[in-house]
Amino acid sequence: MSTTAVHSLWTTAAEPIDKIDAPTIEYGQLSPVLIVIGAAVIGVLIEAFVPRKSRYYAQLFLSVVSLAAAFAAVVGLAARGFGTTKAQIAAMGAIAVDGPALFLQGTILLTGIVAIFTFAERRLDPEAHGNRVDSFVAQAGSVPGSEGEQAATKAGFATTEVFPLALFAIGGMLVFPAANDLLTLFIALEVFSLPLYLLCALARRKRLMSQESAVKYFLLGAFASAFTLFGIALLYGYAGSVSYATVADVVEGNVKTVDPALADTMGNDALLLIGVAMVVMGLLFKVGAVPFHMWTPDVYQGAPTPVTGFMAAATKVAAFGALLRLLYVVLPGLRWDWRPVMWGVAVITMLGGAIIAITQTDIKRLLAYSSVAHAGFILAGVIATTPDGISSVLFYLGAYSFVTIGAFAVVTLVRDAGGEATHLSKWAGLGRRSPLVAAVFAVFLLAFAGIPLTSGFAGKFAVFKAAAEGGAGPLVVVGVLSSAIAAFFYIRVIVLMFFSEPKADGPTVAVPSPLTMTAIAMGVAVTLVLGVAPQYFLDLANQAGVFVR
């Protein structure tokens, strides 16, 4: 064996390193996220160690207490000025603690608490084998209709894993709008998407449709995640960093030193434009904007209704928060490139959602297309590129999320022998059978339509005003036209409920437990308060409307 061959087996020692600096983590400022993720981990341990009979109560208690504690932490941070004067970047540049982040986190946590109430509802279905049942399958791993599933139902099993899954999803959603670098953004996206894919497949009734919806969501979501990740890679090649502030500096040409390894690709506009297009595409998919909305109606229809309400409300809040931060913090220098594209997306989203909703015969699909149209209205505020644009979007998201969860909670109450009666023909005459439920649903539909004295009107007015002042007047005209088209099918449902004869074999309205009553009551209260006296909350959104960079 030659000496050269032997010497190639080792290398000379590098200079000894004095010490590696430990990362500095501001635990106090990250406390909302840490509380929720910690509770989710404890929830997994409860599944492993607590007896089956006690799990439901333990999980419900843990979920509500942790979300309330996290919300208290958000309020505490805002009260100490982290939303305004003390806004800063925490966790070594990974997370921004500023007004928009805290406002959106507070909204997500409150909608999370209300959603957990609907998850925990156990009085709507008749008791099975002497056990109360919820909206979720008895044993997720069993084949639909199999002996295993029947045995699990007979034994009174309950899928209490939905609570830690929801907490993990909420934890990811809290990080998503606050992410201050592209990698944190992607990790948060995966952390909240994966639990949602699972939750969509767990419906107790119509299990095959539920599983189909989960597979569709998973496959399309995986494509969207792949686009996002590829876009992040291209942006890293363009700017030599995944940090928002550094990418923004390179876009604006403010970079002093260039890494020699990246000198060839830095400043290559093709990488920038393709990368931005891909990342924004991933975010528009989560928002449900046309043409990335194809998953929305199928997934909303197939998923268990409490999950649909949670997804429709909280995912939109998180995704719009991330989109706002990306466009306003990273890409203000690229405004002339992304604004025309967003104009086009907003126009086809508003019109597409409103027009296709007219043809729907299923109440969940109708609400799904309605949520697509609302994504278009919110995009009008995003396009404004003014401080009012940010605050109007924050306000709209807060108002919209409670109306949505309330509306889906009402849908869970209208039932026939096959479970929820979601076909519109079944809702005929509901106002005569159950005037209170029909009246509450009418309030939510009027808020969606943007009728004055509801939160929907205040939100739409704020967004359209910001868009008009930001130079997007024609967009506002399209928005008002779409609202008029949308009002048609909302009012049609109200007419169907109150002015049609009830059918003899029509559905019944189940009497829910106080959990769902609370969820619906909170929806109605927020809808009316934000509609009648929105000024305080608009001022709050205004104060919270400044991003830190």
Side-chain angles (χ1 to χ4, degrees), residues 2-72:
S2 69
T3 52
T4 52
V6 174
H7 284 297
S8 68
L9 298 179
W10 66 78
T11 177
T12 53
E15 291 294 318
I17 300 169
D18 291 339
K19 68 174 196 304
I20 297 173
D21 291 332
T24 52
I25 306 292
E26 297 84 346
Y27 292 104
Q29 287 151 47
L30 302 180
S31 54
V33 180
L34 297 176
I35 290 169
V36 173
I37 297 286
V41 173
I42 296 169
V44 173
L45 295 176
I46 288 176
E47 287 299 314
F49 296 113
V50 171
R52 195 181 288 276
K53 286 268 183 261
S54 315
R55 281 181 205 165
Y56 166 82
Y57 297 103
Q59 293 283 23
L60 177 58
F61 177 76
L62 175 73
S63 305
V64 173
V65 167
S66 62
L67 292 175
F71 180 71

Side-chain angles (χ1 to χ4, degrees), residues 19 37 56 67 76 87 123 160 201 213 246 260 289 302 324 352 365 398 422 433 441 455 462 485 534:
K19 68 174 196 304
I37 297 286
Y56 166 82
L67 292 175
R123 285 202 197 158
T160 43
S213 81
T246 312
L324 270 179
R365 287 183 82 84
T422 56
R433 289 198 164 174
F441 197 61
S455 58
I485 296 169

Side-chain angles (χ1 to χ4, degrees), residues 441-455:
F441 197 61
V443 169
F444 291 138
L445 290 175
L446 292 173
F448 281 137
I451 304 298
L453 297 183
T454 63
S455 58

Side-chain angles (χ1 to χ4, degrees), residues 17-392:
I17 300 169
D18 291 339
K19 68 174 196 304
I20 297 173
D21 291 332
T24 52
I25 306 292
E26 297 84 346
Y27 292 104
Q29 287 151 47
L30 302 180
S31 54
V33 180
L34 297 176
I35 290 169
V36 173
I37 297 286
V41 173
I42 296 169
V44 173
L45 295 176
I46 288 176
E47 287 299 314
F49 296 113
V50 171
R52 195 181 288 276
K53 286 268 183 261
S54 315
R55 281 181 205 165
Y56 166 82
Y57 297 103
Q59 293 283 23
L60 177 58
F61 177 76
L62 175 73
S63 305
V64 173
V65 167
S66 62
L67 292 175
F71 180 71
V74 168
V75 173
L77 287 171
R80 299 217 308 276
F82 284 106
T84 47
T85 49
K86 289 193 197 167
Q88 67 180 80
I89 309 291
M92 308 284 287
I95 305 272
V97 183
D98 57 8
L102 292 176
F103 190 94
L104 293 167
Q105 285 178 344
T107 306
I108 290 166
L109 289 164
L110 284 180
T111 45
I113 292 173
V114 179
I116 290 289
F117 287 163
T118 61
F119 276 40
E121 177 58 61
R122 300 180 92 174
R123 285 202 197 158
L124 298 179
D125 269 323
E127 289 191 358
H129 307 289
N131 296 300
R132 285 185 175 169
V133 294
D134 53 20
S135 306
F136 300 99
V137 63
Q139 193 168 32
S142 55
V143 177
S146 66
E147 288 178 11
E149 183 182 51
Q150 288 162 9
T153 309
K154 195 174 274 187
F157 288 3
T159 305
T160 43
E161 296 96 319
V162 294
F163 294 103
L165 282 173
L167 287 178
F168 276 120
I170 291 168
M173 289 173 190
L174 294 180
V175 177
F176 200 53
N180 195 54
D181 68 48
L182 293 163
L183 279 183
T184 310
L185 181 83
F186 180 73
I187 290 165
L189 174 71
E190 292 307 299
V191 169
F192 84 76
S193 297
L194 294 173
L196 288 178
Y197 301 149
L198 290 172
L199 286 169
C200 286
L202 298 178
R204 180 174 286 271
R205 308 287 187 100
K206 300 179 183 161
R207 281 200 64 199
L208 287 173
M209 186 199 271
S210 174
Q211 291 180 352
E212 180 195 345
S213 81
V215 170
K216 283 178 178 168
Y217 191 21
F218 171 66
L219 289 175
L220 290 170
F223 271 111
S225 294
F227 273 115
T228 308
L229 193 57
F230 195 41
I232 289 170
L234 294 178
L235 284 176
Y236 177 71
Y238 168 79
S241 170
V242 288
S243 159
Y244 280 7
T246 312
V247 177
D249 284 339
V250 178
V251 171
E252 289 164 10
N254 296 339
V255 178
K256 308 292 184 288
T257 57
V258 176
D259 185 330
L262 293 161
D264 292 340
T265 56
M266 269 182 86
N268 180 339
D269 284 353
L271 288 180
L272 170 68
L273 293 171
I274 299 170
V276 166
M278 287 184 152
V279 175
V280 169
M281 203 185 301
L283 293 177
L284 289 177
F285 171 87
K286 277 291 168 215
V287 160
V290 180
F292 313 106
H293 70 297
M294 299 309 290
W295 60 277
T296 312
D298 290 351
V299 174
Y300 279 28
Q301 186 183 10
T305 307
V307 174
T308 308
F310 170 57
M311 241 175 19
T315 308
K316 257 201 181 34
V317 177
F320 266 113
L323 185 65
L324 270 179
R325 190 174 295 277
L326 188 75
L327 296 179
Y328 280 59
V329 175
V330 186
L331 304 170
L334 207 61
R335 184 179 307 172
W336 303 112
D337 294 288
W338 61 254
R339 265 191 87 172
V341 177
M342 286 300 195
W343 264 69
V345 171
V347 167
I348 59 171
T349 303
M350 288 190 279
L351 288 174
I355 291 168
I356 302 175
I358 293 175
T359 64
Q360 299 306 311
T361 55
D362 183 279
I363 195 84
K364 282 169 81 175
R365 287 183 82 84
L366 186 142
L367 290 175
Y369 278 110
S370 143
S371 90
V372 171
H374 281 282
F377 299 141
I378 302 172
L379 278 173
V382 174
I383 290 166
T385 58
T386 59
D388 279 354
I390 302 175
S391 59
S392 68

Side-chain angles (χ1 to χ4, degrees), residues 435-499:
L436 181 62
V437 170
V440 165
F441 197 61
V443 169
F444 291 138
L445 290 175
L446 292 173
F448 281 137
I451 304 298
L453 297 183
T454 63
S455 58
F457 175 77
K460 272 185 189 164
F461 184 81
V463 165
F464 288 160
K465 177 169 170 280
E469 289 172 356
L475 197 64
V476 176
V477 175
V478 175
V480 172
L481 282 174
S482 312
S483 294
I485 296 169
F488 166 75
F489 59 80
Y490 296 129
I491 309 268
R492 191 184 70 183
V493 176
I494 294 174
V495 169
L496 184 76
M497 289 194 297
F498 287 100
F499 299 102

